[in-house]
Amino acid sequence: MGRMLNALSQRDLELGPARDVEPTGHFRVAKDDDGVVWMVLDRTDKRVNTIDRPVLEELAGHVERFEKEKPAAIVIRSGKAAGFAAGADINQFVGASTEEIKAALDQGHQVLDRLAALPCRTIAVVHGHCLGAGLELALACDRRIAVSNASLGFPEVMLGLHPGLGGTFRAPAVADPIEAMTMMLTGRAMPAKRARSIGLVDAVVEERHVAAAVEAAFYGDLRRKPQSLQARAMGFKPGRQIAARMMRKKTAEKARQDNYPAPFKLIDLWEEHGGSPRAMQRAEIDSFAELIETDTSKNLVRVFFLREKMKGLKDGSSGVKHLHVVGAGAMGGEIAAWAAGQGFKVTLGDIKLEPIGGAVKKAAKMLEKVVKDPLKVRDALDRLIPDPEGLGISHADLVIEAAPEKIALKHKIYETIEPQLKEGALLATNTSALPLADLASGLKDPSRFVGLHFFNPVSRMQLVEIVSHDRISPETARRATAFAAEISRLPAPVGSAPGFLVNRALTPYMAEALVLLDEGIPKERIDLRAEEFGMPMGPIELTDQVGLDIALDVATSLRERLGENTLPPAPDWLTKMVEEKRLGRKTGRGLYDYDDAGKPKKIAPEALPDGSKDDPDMIDRLILPMLNAVVACIDEGVITDEEIVDGAMIFGTGFAPFRGGPVHYARQRGIDGIVQRMKDLAAKHGPRFEPHPGWERLAR
């Protein structure tokens, strides 16, 4: 059955004479009447192609045969509908020693060097995803033809690495060197047409024209784009030195070298060896093997597997085709727009027309930024249907309520919605703090009620907390989890408890920052310390981003429900700011003032007044209460899987990814040491720092 489905998925791919050949391993190989060999990579053991030792060893055997048989040309492409190859299989490096990694890389380089040295024309045809080692395989060919849906990139930097199979010297040799380096430094994938414009691929065609493009490449009609004068200057060290300075500056704006060494290492290698492919190759292998042994890379590889685990929580289909969202405010509008962008039919309702119109305008802007393709944006907006009458409720498979956080208001909404729900439809709330048992109390069928807690902005925050309660059915929880995965978000199942997981953990971090601010420490210094630790945004700026009114509400609610000793009281000046409608970024003024582009006006750290207040305990005061709340959630059974906890905090709060997640960080740092440190802070600053009893159980 699997083979039949795969054959069906390939029916639109041009596979030449290899179409009808059974695979003897990971490749299907056949020669046409003109002596052109078609090699189709179609891994029998995986849903997508990855490049690992078995694939490279098999490729080596074929290359050895071609060296003797001398075919007229060789075409390499994928038999998987999803794409060419998703990169290297990272599992092959886990647990390997530096020497073993170097040896494996040496062997891989030898295979691709021999492929590149074949006297016949070699042509890579790429479609879908062509990433990492997959792109490096394509770069070892003479010509690259991209199908228009191709997306090419080097994502290794996301794993604390740089390309390791020749990308560092082959990509700058065929493409504009600055553009090639930017690809490797950012990890961002590039669409086919853009890849053509920088010289990374030689042609972009529709699938139906692949055979003609291969013929053109075979007969020499497909010429490489000549390098510009500026690109040629990069072959000389003075040119690279100037460019490298700019690259370091830009990279430092996004990542700190101490935390993320890989991009800085790549710039060093290119500056030093970019004029010599041989020297760059040797340096690439040595550097890759060193980087993969760093804590940063090990933790980022861990984060990669956490993401895969969270994706794997999906069990079957949600059965959702039509989504209805009640409430066209900031969250409801974004949820609706994101789901429409992911292919779902969405109706969006609100008691007023004005918010719906505003939500559709914002949806267009968000989709243009995220989806980019104007046709896909148009299709997504066609799927997003304004519905002030709420006619979509009775047709929807899932209704998400995204109204303000008032129990009486939500109950009133449910009284209207529930009688209209069709059989099998789910009802969800996007509440960020209210107890689900209380919200479900008036429902006739609470078994189909679930929390789907999205994070703002939905287009960037990957996490969705799937919130259960005592009367939810397992099928509802399963379908809600599947729906989150189907809209390309990462589900984290949590129990209904104050703040669930993420808000419970994030609030102490933000609250302590306000205490530090109240003590006279400059807000820029507080944010800088948190960013140095690895947080994507400091807690002061984050409070402005969330909104001072929302932050105050959540903190007050959590303090009431968890006890006064868990959080510091909100400063009086914060309440006054909220009363004066100085609410943060959304009003242009908050803890910071904001420019027209929505950026905070900050004093540069080096320009802070001499002698301005500081606190050597600052990072522990910010981070340890967050860890304490995470431990409390685990101990109280809000969420028990430590890996999902780490994933949820990384993808829901941006908790320093290079540290591998808060629980992993705590174990690496040492639980006994953290507990003692918290006791010291409690003696100095009060009972909010008292370690939760769950630390003892975590240490066992």
Side-chain angles (χ1 to χ4, degrees):
M1 182 69 175
R3 182 174 288 181
M4 189 173 85
L5 288 172
N6 197 38
L8 286 171
S9 73
Q10 294 167 357
R11 68 186 183 280
D12 295 328
L13 295 177
E14 175 58 71
L15 303 179
R19 172 179 296 284
D20 303 317
V21 174
E22 286 292 319
T24 52
H26 296 306
F27 287 92
R28 287 189 273 157
V29 183
K31 190 186 289 188
D32 69 15
D33 295 339
D34 295 320
V36 176
V37 170
W38 284 67
M39 293 184 67
V40 175
L41 177 58
D42 190 6
R43 295 202 61 153
T44 52
D45 56 341
K46 291 184 188 290
R47 196 171 44 83
V48 296
N49 287 329
T50 53
I51 310 297
D52 58 11
R53 184 175 281 180
V55 168
L56 290 169
E57 285 175 351
E58 192 177 323
L59 177 62
H62 290 300
V63 169
E64 189 175 351
R65 184 159 54 83
F66 299 148
E67 286 169 340
K68 295 171 189 163
E69 293 179 1
K70 297 183 173 55
I74 297 165
V75 179
I76 300 178
R77 85 164 306 186
S78 159
K80 305 285 189 193
F84 186 72
D89 184 349
I90 200 67
N91 279 300
Q92 68 187 317
F93 298 120
V94 175
S97 69
T98 305
E99 291 312 310
E100 287 169 334
I101 291 164
K102 279 187 185 179
L105 290 173
D106 276 333
Q107 288 174 341
H109 275 262
Q110 285 168 24
V111 177
L112 294 194
D113 285 351
R114 287 171 70 189
L115 173 65
L118 284 172
C120 65
R121 180 63 50 91
T122 51
I123 305 154
V125 178
V126 303
H127 69 279
H129 49 246
C130 177
L131 304 172
L135 179 50
E136 289 170 301
L137 170 58
L139 283 165
C141 296
D142 300 320
R143 296 290 184 271
R144 280 154 299 287
I145 298 165
V147 177
S148 58
N149 71 352
S151 176
L152 303 93
F154 292 107
E156 290 87 350
V157 72
M158 309 294 190
L159 299 177
L161 303 166
H162 53 59
L165 209 56
T168 66
F169 61 91
R170 286 200 173 99
V174 301
D176 178 283
I178 304 295
E179 295 282 3
M181 282 293 290
T182 302
M183 279 183 81
M184 292 185 272
L185 291 171
T186 62
R188 285 197 293 267
M190 185 178 282
K193 283 183 182 172
R194 177 98 176 91
R196 168 72 184 93
S197 73
I198 69 164
L200 193 68
V201 300
D202 304 296
V204 178
V205 299
E206 297 302 323
E207 181 61 45
R208 64 184 180 277
H209 299 312
V210 164
V214 165
E215 193 173 336
F218 174 41
Y219 285 110
D221 297 334
L222 200 62
R223 290 186 173 84
R224 279 186 181 167
K225 185 178 180 177
Q227 282 202 319
S228 67
L229 190 63
Q230 181 191 333
R232 289 201 295 275
M234 296 304 128
F236 302 96
K237 195 165 186 181
R240 291 197 304 278
Q241 285 174 326
I242 295 166
R245 274 199 295 274
M246 291 297 295
M247 287 175 188
R248 284 191 190 94
K249 187 170 179 255
K250 273 193 168 181
T251 303
E253 288 170 8
K254 302 284 184 189
R256 293 173 186 275
Q257 187 166 357
D258 291 349
N259 300 343
Y260 296 97
F264 297 94
K265 185 74 174 165
L266 174 59
I267 296 167
D268 292 346
L269 296 184
W270 179 70
E271 182 182 4
E272 183 63 31
H273 305 294
S276 166
R278 256 323 136 211
M280 191 69 172
Q281 182 175 41
R282 188 66 257 159
E284 174 192 281
I285 292 169
D286 290 345
S287 174
F288 185 98
E290 286 164 17
L291 284 169
I292 207 166
E293 288 297 303
T294 61
D295 285 341
T296 291
S297 180
K298 285 176 180 174
N299 286 336
L300 291 177
V301 167
R302 181 174 195 272
V303 172
F304 171 82
F305 287 122
L306 293 179
R307 182 196 297 275
E308 293 303 300
K309 179 169 181 170
M310 292 174 82
K311 283 183 187 172
L313 294 175
K314 180 180 186 289
D315 175 17
S317 165
S318 71
V320 175
K321 300 280 188 296
H322 177 176
L323 167 69
H324 183 86
V325 179
V326 178
M331 286 304 293
E334 275 247 337
I335 293 166
W338 181 258
Q342 295 295 308
F344 288 80
K345 178 182 178 180
V346 183
T347 43
L348 176 61
D350 198 285
I351 52 170
K352 294 179 185 170
L353 263 175
E354 192 183 352
I356 300 177
V360 172
K361 277 184 190 168
K362 286 178 185 169
K365 281 185 186 171
M366 182 270 278
L367 290 164
E368 280 163 18
K369 202 179 286 184
V370 175
V371 178
K372 294 187 173 70
D373 183 331
L375 290 176
K376 288 180 180 173
V377 171
R378 186 199 66 193
D379 290 346
L381 289 171
D382 285 347
R383 289 190 292 268
L384 179 57
I385 304 161
D387 184 15
E389 304 295 323
L391 301 174
I393 294 170
S394 60
H395 301 284
D397 306 299
L398 168 64
V399 176
I400 299 178
E401 163 272 305
E405 296 284 60
K406 293 175 179 143
I407 282 191
L409 173 63
K410 289 180 188 283
H411 277 157
K412 196 174 175 185
I413 290 168
Y414 301 158
E415 281 171 19
T416 306
I417 291 173
E418 193 180 21
Q420 298 181 61
L421 292 176
K422 70 180 186 181
E423 191 177 342
L426 302 183
L427 174 60
T429 176
N430 182 51
T431 184
S432 60
L434 296 174
L436 260 71
D438 292 354
L439 290 176
S441 61
L443 293 172
K444 289 187 172 60
D445 183 6
S447 71
R448 61 174 170 180
F449 180 64
V450 64
L452 283 173
H453 180 211
F454 289 80
F455 294 84
N456 190 22
V458 176
S459 57
R460 290 211 305 272
M461 302 305 288
Q462 298 173 62
L463 186 73
V464 177
E465 287 179 315
I466 314 295
V467 191
S468 292
H469 55 94
D470 289 347
R471 293 189 288 172
I472 191 174
S473 76
E475 177 64 0
T476 296
R478 182 199 69 75
R479 288 178 63 196
T481 303
F483 173 73
E486 287 162 5
I487 58 167
S488 304
R489 302 292 80 174
L490 297 171
V494 297
S496 181
F500 313 139
L501 168 68
V502 169
N503 281 349
R504 171 104 171 250
L506 208 52
T507 303
Y509 166 72
M510 293 159 70
E512 194 62 30
L514 298 182
V515 175
L516 289 161
L517 190 59
D518 210 26
E519 290 173 5
I521 297 172
K523 53 186 175 282
E524 290 88 352
R525 179 166 287 145
I526 298 167
D527 279 351
L528 178 66
R529 292 278 190 275
E531 287 161 13
E532 284 173 346
F533 177 80
M535 302 303 281
M537 184 184 286
I540 303 294
E541 189 179 343
L542 178 63
T543 305
D544 266 355
Q545 180 93 9
V546 168
L548 270 58
D549 50 343
I550 293 167
L552 181 61
D553 277 355
V554 172
T556 305
S557 166
L558 280 178
R559 198 163 183 263
E560 284 171 2
R561 293 166 68 195
L562 294 170
E564 289 187 357
N565 289 341
T566 55
L567 287 166
D572 292 339
W573 51 260
L574 182 66
T575 307
K576 194 174 178 204
M577 285 177 75
V578 171
E579 286 168 358
E580 292 170 355
K581 301 294 181 192
R582 287 176 57 191
L583 305 180
R585 189 169 179 262
K586 60 189 171 186
T587 57
R589 289 184 74 206
L591 299 168
Y592 289 106
D593 287 344
Y594 289 80
D595 63 21
D596 293 341
K599 289 190 175 175
K601 297 175 183 177
K602 293 188 178 186
I603 300 168
E606 60 273 13
L608 288 170
D610 289 340
S612 59
K613 200 167 178 190
D614 202 349
D615 183 346
D617 293 335
M618 193 190 303
I619 275 299
D620 279 349
R621 284 181 64 181
L622 290 170
I623 299 299
L624 295 189
M626 185 193 292
L627 266 57
N628 207 35
V630 165
V631 168
C633 286
I634 294 170
D635 195 58
E636 293 163 18
V638 177
I639 181 167
T640 52
D641 187 317
E642 288 182 18
E643 290 186 334
I644 302 294
V645 170
D646 277 345
M649 289 297 291
I650 289 166
F651 300 119
T653 73
F655 184 91
F658 72 94
R659 296 187 188 277
V663 181
H664 186 70
Y665 166 71
R667 290 196 182 282
Q668 295 282 93
R669 178 168 165 176
I671 288 170
D672 291 346
I674 287 176
V675 168
Q676 186 54 54
R677 184 81 176 106
M678 292 199 76
K679 285 177 179 174
D680 294 344
L681 289 170
K684 197 171 177 181
H685 296 286
R688 66 184 182 276
F689 287 100
E690 282 294 340
H692 191 277
W695 283 105
E696 288 179 26
R697 287 182 275 278
L698 199 70
R700 286 175 197 158

